Amino acid sequence: MFVDPATITRFHINTLPSSVQVTLIETENATFQCIGDGNPQPTLTLIKQPTDELNETLTHTLEGMILRYDIAAVRSKHSGQYTCASSNSIGENDRTLHLYIKTFQG
């Protein structure tokens, strides 16, 4: 049996897989998808900076090594730096995206 350190193979928002800076308009939906790999299977964690008033860290341990987080109708409070971290007993890896929210000019 082989062992591999934890890695992030892909981390993106919506259908923008190569963007590290994403701008959305208020009320648009955002779907974060983080895909990890490794053996033993890694734990994937999504962390937002700055944290909001709830000081929330989104954590999910997965069988399929895909972390998905949906935000319906983004607001300015969702702007910030999002980091997906992958870790197992062999190693750690992370990738970071920046999300910017523009005010809807309707």
Side-chain angles (χ1 to χ4, degrees):
M1 185 167 151
F2 68 95
V3 293
D4 266 333
T7 61
I8 303 292
T9 57
R10 204 162 31 155
F11 180 38
H12 63 269
I13 299 173
N14 296 346
T15 57
L16 308 164
S18 60
S19 297
V20 294
Q21 294 186 9
V22 175
T23 300
L24 297 176
I25 297 170
E26 265 187 341
T27 74
E28 281 189 283
N29 296 335
T31 298
F32 292 82
Q33 190 169 27
C34 179
I35 301 170
D37 199 4
N39 189 14
Q41 194 163 316
T43 298
L44 298 177
T45 306
L46 182 63
I47 302 163
K48 179 184 180 288
Q49 295 291 332
T51 56
D52 58 24
E53 50 293 336
L54 298 176
N55 201 25
E56 71 179 297
T57 298
L58 311 162
T59 308
H60 197 23
T61 305
L62 305 151
E63 292 297 318
M65 292 191 269
I66 298 174
L67 182 149
R68 181 183 163 132
Y69 180 66
D70 295 304
I71 301 172
V74 294
R75 304 258 178 256
S76 60
K77 73 174 188 173
H78 296 116
S79 289
Q81 174 179 295
Y82 290 81
T83 300
C84 184
S86 177
S87 64
N88 64 13
S89 58
I90 310 300
E92 298 178 356
N93 188 232
D94 62 61
R95 287 200 191 171
T96 299
L97 296 173
H98 298 272
L99 177 63
Y100 302 96
I101 307 301
K102 285 175 106 172
T103 305
F104 180 68
Q105 304 289 329

